[in-house]
């Protein structure tokens, strides 16, 4: 190989706590469910000396891996920018503090609608209220700890079911303190 990869996606788990209608997991299973160990993670990252950006998600929910803060710290110790997408349902107070203290650069919250009923239909569980509370909690934790990171954003899978709600989703982001919607 002439050059090493600089941006690397590392799936820290392929487990999920939701059954999203827009996820490939809803249609097929590619591999057995598992959570990556810290030892496996260190072995993988050691093979990528030129990595300067790590995206720690794939088909699973990264917050289901209890080693996630240590993985982030490991990469941050190498000067690597670290980010991941989460459905936000598991972003408890403990996770909020652990992620802020780990040095995580960016957290992308996957949220497809501001409507609780439609959210339950798309995501498979009625947890929109929890996601919103958790995002507000993370912002409060950042303020309490005097941290500017992780940078927060909402990520949306646009469909014919939620397209007309995008303005309301942008208003929700604004009201919760999330500065970006993709």
């Amino acid at each position: 190989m002439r050059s090493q990869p600089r941006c690397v996606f590392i799936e820290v788990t392929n487990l999920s706590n939701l059954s999203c209608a827009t996820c490939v997991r809803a249609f097929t299973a590619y591999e057995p469910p598992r959570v990556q160990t810290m030892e496996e993670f260190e072995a993988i990252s050691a093979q990528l000396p030129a990595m300067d950006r790590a995206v720690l998600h794939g088909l699973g929910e990264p917050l289901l891996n209890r080693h996630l803060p240590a993985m982030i710290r490991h990469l941050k110790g190498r000067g690597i920018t670290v980010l991941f997408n989460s459905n936000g349902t598991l972003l408890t107070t403990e996770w909020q503090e652990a992620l802020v203290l780990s040095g995580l650069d960016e957290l992308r919250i996957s949220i497809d609608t501001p409507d609780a009923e439609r959210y339950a239909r798309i995501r498979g569980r009625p947890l929109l209220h929890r996601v919103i509370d958790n995002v507000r909690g993370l912002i409060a934790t950042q303020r309490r700890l005097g941290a500017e990171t992780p940078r927060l954003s909402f990520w949306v899978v646009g469909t014919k079911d939620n397209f007309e709600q995008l303005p309301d989703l942008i208003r929700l982001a604004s009201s919760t303190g999330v500065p970006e919607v993709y």
Side-chain angles (χ1 to χ4, degrees), residues 19-36:
S19 299
C20 303
T22 56
C23 181
V24 69
R25 293 170 49 95
F27 308 104
T28 188
Y30 288 107
E31 56 196 13
R34 67 184 308 271
V35 176
Q36 193 173 97

Side-chain angles (χ1 to χ4, degrees), residues 2-3 13 29-30 32 41 69 78 84 92 101 103 122 132 139 148 157:
R2 289 189 182 158
S3 65
T13 184
Y30 288 107
F41 182 82
R78 291 178 44 190
F84 66 88
T92 62
L101 295 175
I122 293 170
I132 294 167
I139 292 168
E148 294 187 21
V157 175

Side-chain angles (χ1 to χ4, degrees), residues 65-146:
N65 188 324
R66 64 182 175 88
H67 302 293
L68 186 61
M71 293 170 169
I72 295 165
R73 286 191 303 273
H74 174 78
L75 295 172
K76 293 306 296 174
R78 291 178 44 190
I80 297 170
T81 299
V82 184
L83 62 119
F84 66 88
N85 282 41
S86 170
N87 61 43
T89 61
L90 303 174
L91 191 58
T92 62
T93 303
E94 293 79 17
W95 268 116
Q96 294 163 16
E97 189 162 318
L99 294 176
V100 169
L101 295 175
S102 73
L104 180 66
D105 294 289
E106 182 180 348
L107 178 58
R108 300 168 172 180
I109 302 296
S110 298
I111 183 171
D112 298 316
T113 175
D115 177 74
E117 182 180 314
R118 203 169 287 187
Y119 178 93
R121 212 170 43 246
I122 293 170
R123 295 284 169 174
R125 293 183 66 197
L127 298 174
L128 178 63
H129 65 285
R130 184 181 301 171
V131 174
I132 294 167
D133 289 347
N134 290 346
V135 167
R136 286 185 173 132
L138 178 57
I139 292 168
T141 298
Q142 287 176 294
R143 285 189 190 121
R144 179 175 52 81
L145 296 174

